[in-house]
Amino acid sequence: MIGTALATLVSHWRRKPGQLATLVIGLSLATALWTSVQAINAEARASYDQASAALGGGSVISLTAPEGRIHRSVWAQLRRDGWDASPRIEGELVLADTVFALIGVEPLSASTSQAMVGGGEGVGPAFLTAPGVLLAAPETVEGLAAHQADLPPVQASAQLPRGQVLTDIATAARLLDRGDQIDQIVINPDAREGLTPLAVLAPQLDRVETTDTGEVSRLTGSFHLNLSAFGFLSFAVGLFIVYAAVGLAFEQRRSTLRTLRALGTPVRVIVASLLIEAFAFALVAGAVGVLLGYGVASALLPDVAATLRGLYGASVSGELSVRPDWWLSGFAIAILGALGATAQSVRRAATMPLLASGQMRAWALASTRRYLLQAGIALALFALAALIPQLASGVLAGFALLASLLLGAAIGLPALLAGVLNIATRLVRGAVAEWFLADTRQQLPGLSMALMALMLALAANIGVGTMVSSFRLTFEGWLDQRLAAELYVTTRDDAQSDAVRDFLEARADAVLPIWSADSDIAGQPGEVFGVVDHATYRENWPLITARPDAWDQIAAGEGVLVNEQSWRRAGLALGEPVSLGEGATLPLVGVYSDYGNPNAQAILGLDGLVDRYAGTVSRLRYGVRVDPDEAQALTEALRAQFDLPADGVIDQASVKAFSLSVFERTFAVTGALNVLTLSVAAFAMFASLTTLASMRLPQLAPVWALGLTAAHLARLELLRAGVLAVLTWLAALPVGLVLAWALLAVVNVEAFGWRLPLHLFPMDWLRLAALAILAALIAALLPARALVRKPPREFLQIFAQER
Amino acid sequence: MLIEVDGLEKAYGQGAERQPVLRGVSLGLEPGASLAVTGESGSGKSTLLHLIGLLDTPDAGEIRLKGETVTGLDDAGRALRRRHQVGLVFQQFNLVPSLTVEGNLALQARLAGQHDAEWIDTLADRLGLAAFRQRYPEQLSGGQQQRVAVGRALAARPALLLADEPTGNLDEETSDQVLDLMLELCADAGAGLIMATHSRIAADRLSRRVHLTGGRLS
């Protein structure tokens, strides 16, 4: 019996292939966007876990020499004493105009190095023996191919980020001409028990113990949550299509359901049939969605990997692996989505009286009571959104706020539109205009799902667009302030640093040392910089809050500036002492914005830095103030005089361009998801309008019979789609702006530690309005065209048929 | 006795607006016999058929189908008896629009697990539907659709056929054809027939007639 009932219900889709396509495409798109985000997150998590596992629980000690290089014999001594130590060389491999980051490791000496070579991928005898092998990401291999004649064989490895080249330490030493010098010794601290302490074995070396993989997971957690939230929003928008398609199918199958019941099919059989049908859809759409999601994730992953590297220094593979956790989650969300979208239809089928009307009720006038209820729920959700920041904090609370806001706006939209149409009905005069508004109001229940989807997509677009644009504007201004010097010079060692400083003193307007040391800042690991007293800082440095005499106190060594993220995390107040490691403190005299840096940072007077951190200060970098017209000549003079590294002298414009390119790449993923969500919403409009068009004839036939031509009716259909798109856009505008505010003032602060000012971009909104109207008109065009071409016979049939 | 109805009462609405539709209706039907229920619009004809057809439950009274009291059955029990023992023909045809004529003809028999391809072929031939078996309801005339509905109702060889104004949407000639077929097939299948109609001519074709006025038989 269930087979017959199921076949009878499924036969509906055979007669409505367009509707079936709408449902499957909607669910597939929703699943695809969700799956793509999950795939990206899973890939990133796997990279963190792999690194963490290889590092024996995520902790590592690195030894470096204050003077820059370590002799290989030190590493050999540590090995002889039983330490699980591995040498490492880092340098820049300059080939023509391209610079690659070359890393040399000794893969057999320590587990810590295994992480670097992806658990052994590509490590064979050829890697370890001359001429060696260079491992690089597939994209980097292409860049290296042009210089193959000068290099050892190159091999692609999906484990490495773009631009990085990994090789055996002997090969790296040869390519960088390092001889017996290495840069770092990496030590697995788990194996230290019973060994001679490092402080005894290598007292001359600096020791830094980090738990960087755990740190990376913590730092990137916000980013992944951000992506998940966007993925879920896209999924929700896609689900509106499914919900609308399933709802319409229910209305169209109402008479079939009633007939099945009348012929003796028990309710439980009908419910089971509907659930089996939904499950089957979920499996088909889930499979399509997972495949599509794989494609989207593969396309987005390189940008995400770049973002994670740029923002957090996290190394994530640029190539996507098929992992069960994300494709299973894709199927799970497709099944949940299909069942969720079907739930209401199943409930209605289960409770529908046997003798209920079999007529479609897509246009049944939604009662005023229903609109009032929707408005009430919307207001309650808005109130909840307003309360959340008072009740809770954290990124999750931020997203709960956004969810309440968006859900409230979506639920309240039909009531708002009905209210606007009611007011308009009272204001207009003329039979056609009155019929048009009344008919539009009658269509609202059938169109509301698509309009909600459109509103969510528009609000998300406005919100995220405003956030990104505000960020860009602020970031550009901030770069102008932070990068006030015309040239930035990096020297090889302290001796060269002194020589370069002497050279520049005579030729530049000012030489501003950018010296730094690692230190705890208010209990967080970070970096302390020393600055000289100069107008460049007093006039340009982007201070958020400061004492009036902040720069005087910095110059006198009596105060410290900290970056915004340390200030917020530690909850510091001006004048409060800031601990700077080993019991030293200085009062806080100001806070500066420091976008793109997840770590703590502080600024002292230069003398104070050298006094406090003697021996550990990196003194290799300078900012140079010079007449911009003379910058090029000075660059050339510096390069001619000194053997500086390839990136030893960089002009301000290059640094800004690089920073902005990192910024653009960071938000490339957000932009792509934004466009995809809007496309899904446009498809929702198209699907709803085309499906509803097939049921519109009973409303249009009487008006046609009264004297309006089919062409006139078609124009009115187009006008209706445009009007509804404009009204939806108007409703989305305030929601999007509140969303932008929440992202900038709540989510960003929780996720990244900095707060950004909100800027408004009305031209972007107008562009979005034009897009929304265009999407609605395109969606309405096909049904309108079909209406114009409809023969009179079809209108007349309406009067002869049961309705 | 195929069907026995005793003191059936039914009212619709709530409180002061409650309107009695049937007031103590009693009747019976032998196997293979036919009964016309006539009356004005709103007299309770359809309600009586809905109750006998187990589509609805009475407020009071009792219905026995082949000696079994069916008034106290739950939804699943009523569905089981509808499926196996009752055929229904409605004024509005109520065909499944997404199934072909053949699919509609076989629907109830399949649901009851009593599909008999030969019998379906016979029905299709006798009802003049053989040439339209792969067509969809929307491609048929009103008379053809009602013939499909009659065939569907008889496909599971029910003991009782209930027809609610089966010719109400048809012209006189087509009405006669449909009625002829329905009576012939009922006789061949040995099914009892109760037909609600406001047509005196149609009612005269059946073996017995009762008239409903204000919810009471006269």
Side-chain angles (χ1 to χ4, degrees):
Chain A
M1 178 169 43
I2 195 164
T4 305
L6 186 59
T8 305
L9 288 171
V10 168
S11 66
H12 169 82
W13 303 107
R14 209 168 46 234
R15 299 283 289 160
K16 308 273 182 193
Q19 207 177 338
L20 173 65
T22 301
L23 198 152
V24 174
I25 291 172
L27 193 54
S28 301
L29 286 176
T31 308
L33 293 177
W34 169 262
T35 307
S36 63
V37 165
Q38 292 311 309
I40 289 168
N41 285 349
E43 193 62 43
R45 270 194 296 272
S47 294
Y48 308 148
D49 291 348
Q50 192 181 35
S52 179
L55 287 171
S59 170
V60 67
I61 297 172
S62 59
L63 300 180
T64 52
E67 60 273 19
R69 301 273 155 76
I70 308 169
H71 197 273
R72 279 176 78 108
S73 59
V74 179
W75 165 64
Q77 177 64 42
L78 290 172
R79 293 287 293 174
R80 277 198 295 277
D81 273 68
W83 283 92
D84 182 6
S86 183
R88 192 175 156 110
I89 287 178
E90 289 181 11
E92 289 181 338
L93 184 62
V94 185
L95 300 169
D97 296 334
T98 318
V99 179
F100 299 92
L102 181 68
I103 298 172
V105 296
E106 208 290 288
L108 304 179
S109 62
S111 56
T112 45
S113 288
Q114 297 291 330
M116 291 302 303
V117 291
E121 183 194 330
V123 179
F127 188 89
L128 300 166
T129 54
V133 170
L134 300 184
L135 295 178
E139 302 88 344
T140 312
V141 169
E142 288 169 23
L144 289 166
H147 313 282
Q148 190 62 67
D150 310 322
L151 297 172
V154 180
Q155 193 177 315
S157 167
Q159 305 291 331
L160 291 169
R162 281 182 190 173
Q164 200 174 77
V165 181
L166 184 74
T167 188
D168 179 59
I169 195 151
T171 313
R174 193 173 69 250
L175 289 170
L176 296 173
D177 198 17
R178 289 285 176 82
D180 287 333
Q181 301 292 318
I182 58 176
D183 292 299
Q184 199 181 13
I185 299 171
V186 184
I187 289 177
N188 176 3
D190 291 352
R192 66 179 135 192
E193 217 164 287
L195 300 177
T196 313
L198 291 171
V200 176
L201 282 174
Q204 76 281 18
L205 299 182
D206 292 335
R207 288 170 43 203
V208 179
E209 184 161 354
T210 55
T211 53
D212 61 347
T213 50
E215 185 73 357
V216 162
S217 289
R218 188 184 65 76
L219 287 171
T220 53
S222 306
F223 179 82
H224 292 300
L225 183 64
N226 211 330
L227 266 188
S228 291
F230 220 123
F232 192 74
L233 177 68
S234 308
F235 175 74
V237 169
L239 214 54
F240 276 106
I241 302 174
V242 184
Y243 186 85
V246 169
L248 285 169
F250 175 82
E251 290 300 336
Q252 289 171 332
R253 293 194 291 187
R254 188 184 273 271
S255 67
T256 301
L257 290 169
R258 190 185 65 162
T259 300
L260 278 173
R261 291 279 311 281
L263 299 183
T265 312
V267 174
R268 60 183 163 75
V269 171
I270 287 177
V271 168
S273 301
L274 288 171
L275 290 175
I276 291 170
E277 181 188 78
F279 195 74
F281 281 138
L283 288 184
V284 173
V288 176
V290 165
L291 285 175
L292 279 175
Y294 179 80
V296 173
S298 298
L300 295 180
L301 191 59
D303 280 336
V304 173
T307 300
L308 289 166
R309 251 198 321 282
L311 269 179
Y312 306 105
S315 180
V316 172
S317 164
E319 201 165 291
L320 193 65
S321 311
V322 178
R323 297 176 196 283
D325 42 357
W326 63 257
W327 66 257
L328 277 176
S329 111
F331 273 107
I333 201 86
I335 290 167
L336 277 177
L339 292 179
T342 313
Q344 196 188 2
S345 293
V346 171
R347 187 185 60 78
R348 286 159 73 189
T351 56
M352 186 175 77
L354 184 50
L355 296 172
S357 164
Q359 292 178 11
M360 290 182 283
R361 301 202 314 201
W363 283 276
L365 260 181
S367 65
T368 306
R369 199 174 142 194
R370 188 181 173 85
Y371 284 136
L372 284 174
L373 180 71
Q374 285 177 342
I377 294 172
L379 287 175
L381 284 165
F382 290 151
L384 180 67
L387 275 175
I388 284 172
Q390 332 292 330
L391 300 176
S393 61
V395 181
L396 275 176
F399 282 116
L401 186 164
L402 298 186
S404 306
L405 175 71
L406 288 174
L407 196 61
I411 290 174
L413 182 70
L416 178 75
L417 292 177
V420 170
L421 290 169
N422 266 348
I423 294 168
T425 307
R426 286 192 210 119
L427 297 177
V428 299
R429 291 285 173 272
V432 174
E434 283 175 24
W435 170 79
F436 174 76
L437 288 170
D439 190 54
T440 304
R441 191 166 184 266
Q442 264 196 315
Q443 277 204 70
L444 270 185
L447 276 174
S448 59
M449 282 293 150
L451 293 172
M452 284 179 191
L454 182 65
M455 201 215 61
L456 280 184
L458 288 174
N461 214 298
I462 292 167
V464 176
T466 303
M467 188 265 281
V468 174
S469 297
S470 293
F471 197 174
R472 185 184 289 114
L473 203 63
T474 309
F475 189 66
E476 282 172 359
W478 174 79
L479 279 179
D480 288 341
Q481 290 176 308
R482 280 287 288 259
L483 301 173
E486 283 70 28
L487 293 176
Y488 290 86
V489 181
T490 305
T491 57
R492 287 189 184 281
D493 49 44
D494 287 358
Q496 190 182 52
S497 172
D498 292 341
V500 165
R501 191 177 185 183
D502 290 344
F503 178 85
L504 288 170
E505 293 286 3
R507 291 167 176 82
D509 297 340
V511 182
L512 309 172
I514 307 173
W515 294 357
S516 65
D518 290 336
S519 169
D520 266 15
I521 300 163
Q524 307 158 42
E527 205 173 3
V528 180
F529 283 81
V531 295
V532 291
D533 187 12
H534 193 268
T536 300
Y537 299 111
R538 290 176 181 266
E539 291 166 9
N540 294 302
W541 204 252
L543 293 177
I544 295 168
T545 178
R547 285 185 169 186
D549 58 349
W551 290 110
D552 293 334
Q553 288 191 287
I554 292 290
E558 292 167 359
V560 62
L561 298 169
V562 298
N563 64 356
E564 184 183 359
Q565 24 295 49
S566 333
W567 174 56
R568 290 195 189 278
R569 277 187 213 131
L572 297 167
L574 288 181
E576 197 174 327
V578 180
S579 70
L580 295 167
E582 297 177 6
T585 60
L586 275 176
L588 181 69
V589 294
V591 179
Y592 58 95
S593 50
D594 185 20
Y595 306 123
N597 172 20
N599 299 316
Q601 199 184 82
I603 290 177
L604 309 176
L606 188 65
D607 295 340
L609 177 85
V610 175
D611 289 347
R612 283 169 194 275
Y613 301 97
T616 63
V617 175
S618 167
R619 306 191 305 136
L620 304 180
R621 296 186 63 218
Y622 295 96
V624 183
R625 300 306 312 259
V626 63
D627 185 332
D629 294 338
E630 294 170 14
Q632 182 60 32
L634 186 57
T635 303
E636 285 164 12
L638 266 168
R639 287 207 166 120
Q641 184 72 24
F642 299 98
D643 173 30
L644 291 170
D647 57 354
V649 189
I650 303 177
D651 62 289
Q652 186 195 72
S654 302
V655 180
K656 279 183 188 169
F658 174 76
S659 302
L660 283 173
S661 74
V662 169
F663 176 91
E664 296 300 344
R665 211 154 180 215
T666 298
F667 288 101
V669 180
T670 314
L673 283 175
N674 227 338
V675 169
L676 287 172
T677 309
L678 202 58
S679 311
V680 171
F683 180 73
M685 276 289 282
F686 175 77
S688 285
L689 284 171
T690 44
T691 311
L692 286 176
S694 63
M695 301 156 71
R696 285 279 293 145
L697 222 47
Q699 277 74 46
L700 298 177
V703 195
W704 170 82
L706 292 175
L708 286 190
T709 64
H712 193 165
L713 288 170
R715 283 198 296 275
L716 287 175
E717 293 292 301
L718 287 175
L719 178 66
R720 185 194 330 275
V723 165
L724 287 175
V726 170
L727 290 176
T728 305
W729 171 78
L730 282 172
L733 204 51
V735 179
L737 290 177
V738 177
L739 180 68
W741 171 83
L743 284 169
L744 290 167
V746 181
V747 176
N748 262 332
V749 176
E750 298 292 350
F752 304 111
W754 58 73
R755 182 175 179 153
L756 296 159
L758 176 73
H759 296 280
L760 301 181
F761 303 90
M763 286 312 291
D764 287 355
W765 308 340
L766 290 177
R767 202 164 43 242
L768 199 61
L771 263 178
I773 294 168
L774 189 68
L777 288 181
I778 290 171
L781 205 58
L782 268 185
R785 190 165 148 266
L787 186 61
V788 173
R789 295 181 171 189
K790 213 168 268 302
R793 177 174 50 82
E794 289 191 31
F795 283 102
L796 290 170
Q797 270 180 349
I798 294 301
F799 302 112
Q801 285 173 3
E802 177 222 358
R803 285 287 157 185
Chain B
M1 194 67 91
L2 173 62
I3 192 91
E4 294 166 87
V5 173
D6 189 13
L8 220 50
E9 293 192 11
K10 183 73 179 175
Y12 292 113
Q14 299 285 321
E17 293 177 8
R18 194 165 171 79
Q19 291 286 327
V21 179
L22 294 178
R23 305 166 194 248
V25 172
S26 300
L27 56 81
L29 186 75
E30 296 293 338
S34 61
L35 172 70
V37 181
T38 58
E40 302 299 316
S41 295
S43 60
K45 302 188 296 293
S46 294
T47 301
L48 178 62
L49 258 63
H50 290 160
L51 295 177
I52 294 173
L54 309 180
L55 295 168
D56 204 355
T57 50
D59 297 334
E62 193 172 280
I63 301 168
R64 285 182 295 281
L65 179 62
K66 290 169 122 179
E68 181 195 17
T69 302
V70 292
T71 27
L73 292 172
D74 62 7
D75 184 66
R78 291 202 305 276
L80 177 74
R81 278 138 191 99
R82 270 203 309 277
R83 211 158 56 231
H84 289 276
Q85 298 184 31
V86 181
L88 295 163
V89 179
F90 301 94
Q91 182 178 359
Q92 310 292 0
F93 322 137
N94 287 348
L95 300 179
V96 175
S98 53
L99 290 181
T100 59
V101 166
E102 185 162 292
N104 270 290
L105 278 176
L107 182 58
Q108 186 166 1
R110 286 187 195 279
L111 287 171
Q114 293 170 354
H115 182 240
D116 177 348
E118 261 183 58
W119 175 232
I120 300 290
D121 288 344
T122 305
L123 284 173
D125 285 341
R126 298 273 299 273
L127 290 162
L129 297 169
F132 312 126
R133 289 176 75 147
Q134 297 311 316
R135 289 198 188 171
Y136 287 92
E138 67 186 29
Q139 298 168 314
L140 302 178
S141 69
Q144 288 166 336
Q145 289 189 53
Q146 193 58 298
R147 278 187 268 163
V148 177
V150 170
R152 180 182 69 188
L154 291 167
R157 299 179 192 274
L160 175 65
L161 183 69
L162 297 171
D164 188 3
E165 303 276 12
T167 57
N169 270 345
L170 306 178
D171 60 62
E172 202 172 318
E173 191 182 335
T174 312
S175 293
D176 278 347
Q177 289 172 1
V178 168
L179 201 53
D180 285 344
L181 282 166
M182 204 159 63
L183 288 167
E184 270 177 45
L185 288 167
C186 273
D188 291 355
L193 167 68
I194 300 179
M195 181 174 79
T197 179
H198 55 254
S199 161
R200 184 181 299 245
I201 299 169
D204 286 343
R205 305 279 305 276
L206 273 62
S207 53
R208 200 152 65 88
R209 182 167 71 159
V210 292
H211 190 77
L212 263 174
T213 311
R216 289 195 173 90
L217 285 180
S218 59

